[in-house]
């Protein structure tokens, strides 16, 4: 099935002076001659992005920064009476209609948007993020790994988008200095509340989380041989140096101590020599 606004793999049916004609079900889609790879032959598969050009599906070897259904932080190139035009890695800029802007976008600034299709099959950008986040029939489980995109910051932490589908909250104690809207992170579902709201964490829970923290701590010790951290170290200092909570740090220290990998001193942790 042909998906407008998405990257997909199509097979070359034949090549003529206009370019390569790609099979898309019962349709043939043109990849212009200037973009056809030198080694392309009938039967060759090509990964292309499909879009509408003058109402007709067209293929390109260029891939956008975000496809239809995805969110991305995009920069405003120009603003005119027709709307705002964003750089998204394609020859033609992506239109963000004024009606899709909660606040009027400004030239040169970056905004988190979702790439969408209008009723004519044309790609456009929407800055109305809440409208596109699913809130029912959540197909996630606690502890599940997820891709996260930072959306905005609040007093509680960072609002993030999970797998380009759901909104969630990363609590303030896991928000590190330097994080900014548009950053892509790996995380885990911490909880799904009865009202459907989702909390996430950067660290896996249970044994997997402790094992990962032990590995992080061990890697840090292997670089210096000693870390000036202990049970009474401030939580902010532990997070700054190791990127983990104080509770997780204590579990990691306990695990490495029982394994005989470290020595504990009043001033910190020392790596045992093999």
């Amino acid at each position: 099935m042909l998906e407008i606004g998405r990257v997909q793999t199509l097979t070359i049916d034949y090549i003529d002076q206009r370019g390569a004609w790609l099979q898309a079900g019962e349709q043939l889609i043109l990849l212009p001659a200037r973009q056809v790879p030198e080694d392309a032959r009938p039967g060759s598969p090509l990964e292309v992005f499909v879009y509408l050009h003058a109402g007709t599906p067209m293929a390109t070897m260029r891939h956008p920064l975000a496809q239809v259904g995805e969110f991305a932080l995009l920069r405003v190139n120009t603003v005119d009476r027709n709307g705002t035009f964003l750089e998204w890695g394609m020859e033609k800029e992506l239109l963000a209609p004024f009606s899709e802007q909660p606040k009027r976008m400004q030239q040169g600034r970056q905004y988190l948007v979702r790439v969408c299709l209008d009723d004519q099959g044309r790609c456009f950008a929407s800055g109305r993020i809440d409208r596109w986040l699913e809130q029912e029939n959540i197909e996630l489980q606690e502890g599940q790994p997820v891709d996260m995109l930072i959306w905005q910051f609040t007093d509680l932490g960072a609002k993030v988008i999970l797998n380009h589908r759901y909104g969630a909250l990363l609590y303030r104690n896991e928000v590190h200095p330097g994080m900014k809207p548009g950053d892509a992170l790996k995380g885990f579902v911490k909880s799904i509340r009865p009202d459907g709201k989702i909390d996430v964490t950067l660290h896996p829970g249970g044994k997997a989380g402790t094992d990962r923290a032990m590995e992080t701590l061990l890697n840090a010790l292997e670089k210096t041989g000693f870390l000036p951290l202990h049970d009474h170290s401030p939580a902010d200092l532990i997070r700054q140096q190791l990127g983990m909570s104080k509770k997780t740090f204590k579990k990691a220290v306990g695990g490495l101590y029982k394994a005989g990998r470290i020595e504990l001193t009043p001033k910190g942790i020392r790596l045992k020599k093999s």
Side-chain angles (χ1 to χ4, degrees):
M1 179 180 176
L2 186 64
E3 295 182 275
I4 303 296
R6 301 284 303 177
V7 172
Q8 51 215 279
T9 300
L10 302 178
T11 301
I12 297 176
D13 185 72
Y14 68 92
I15 300 174
D16 62 15
Q17 70 277 7
R18 295 182 60 189
W21 293 88
L22 311 178
Q23 294 176 331
E26 298 181 356
Q27 287 183 276
L28 289 178
I29 309 300
L30 177 64
L31 174 67
R34 67 180 182 279
Q35 296 191 44
V36 178
E38 291 185 2
D39 59 350
R41 300 288 184 272
S44 298
L46 294 177
E47 191 176 69
V48 297
F49 178 73
V50 178
Y51 64 102
L52 287 189
H53 176 69
T56 301
M58 184 79 72
T60 175
M61 295 295 292
R62 297 182 67 167
H63 292 183
L65 297 176
Q67 308 177 58
V68 166
E70 295 181 348
F71 297 84
L73 190 72
L74 302 181
R75 183 181 301 278
V76 174
N77 276 352
T78 56
V79 180
D80 64 23
R81 61 185 180 85
N82 297 311
T84 302
F85 296 87
L86 310 176
E87 170 57 48
W88 69 318
M90 306 299 290
E91 290 184 10
K92 186 177 180 181
E93 298 167 334
L94 183 66
L95 171 66
F98 293 131
S99 61
E100 294 294 332
Q101 302 177 31
K103 293 183 180 180
R104 190 60 60 91
M105 296 177 178
Q106 299 178 25
Q107 186 172 352
R109 297 188 62 179
Q110 292 180 304
Y111 297 88
L112 191 69
V113 298
R114 184 183 190 267
V115 181
C116 311
L117 284 182
D118 66 14
D119 55 7
Q120 298 182 48
R122 299 172 300 187
C123 296
F124 72 93
S126 173
R128 299 189 179 279
I129 305 301
D130 280 318
R131 176 190 300 173
W132 306 103
L133 297 176
E134 299 178 33
Q135 299 179 353
E136 299 178 354
N137 302 318
I138 297 173
E139 298 176 354
L140 294 173
Q141 296 181 350
E142 292 185 5
Q144 178 179 333
V146 287
D147 292 322
M148 305 191 299
L149 189 69
I150 295 180
W151 170 15
Q152 59 185 211
F153 296 97
T154 71
D155 291 340
L156 293 176
K159 287 185 176 181
V160 298
I161 299 170
L162 306 184
N163 299 344
H164 295 282
R165 295 181 63 184
Y166 310 104
L169 179 65
L170 178 69
Y171 280 96
R172 184 171 54 187
N173 65 341
E174 294 201 61
V175 176
H176 301 166
M179 286 184 176
K180 58 187 182 302
D183 282 353
L185 307 170
K186 298 289 185 180
F188 302 85
V189 176
K190 185 176 183 180
S191 65
I192 302 175
R193 290 182 259 167
D195 60 3
K197 293 183 178 178
I198 305 169
D199 297 329
V200 290
T201 175
L202 297 178
H203 308 287
K207 184 178 183 300
T210 301
D211 289 346
R212 181 173 171 179
M214 289 169 60
E215 182 180 357
T216 298
L217 179 55
L218 196 58
N219 288 339
L221 283 167
E222 287 174 345
K223 293 178 181 178
T224 62
F226 180 81
L227 286 176
L229 298 173
H230 44 74
D231 281 357
H232 301 294
S233 295
D236 288 345
L237 180 61
I238 293 171
R239 185 172 303 283
Q240 181 181 0
Q241 293 199 23
L242 297 173
M244 64 181 70
S245 68
K246 188 168 183 176
K247 180 179 179 181
T248 302
F249 167 73
K250 288 183 176 181
K251 289 182 179 179
V253 169
L256 290 176
Y257 181 75
K258 289 179 181 179
R261 303 296 302 275
I262 59 174
E263 297 176 350
L264 304 181
T265 76
K267 294 185 177 181
I269 309 165
R270 191 179 309 280
L271 182 66
K272 273 192 175 182
K273 295 181 179 180
S274 302

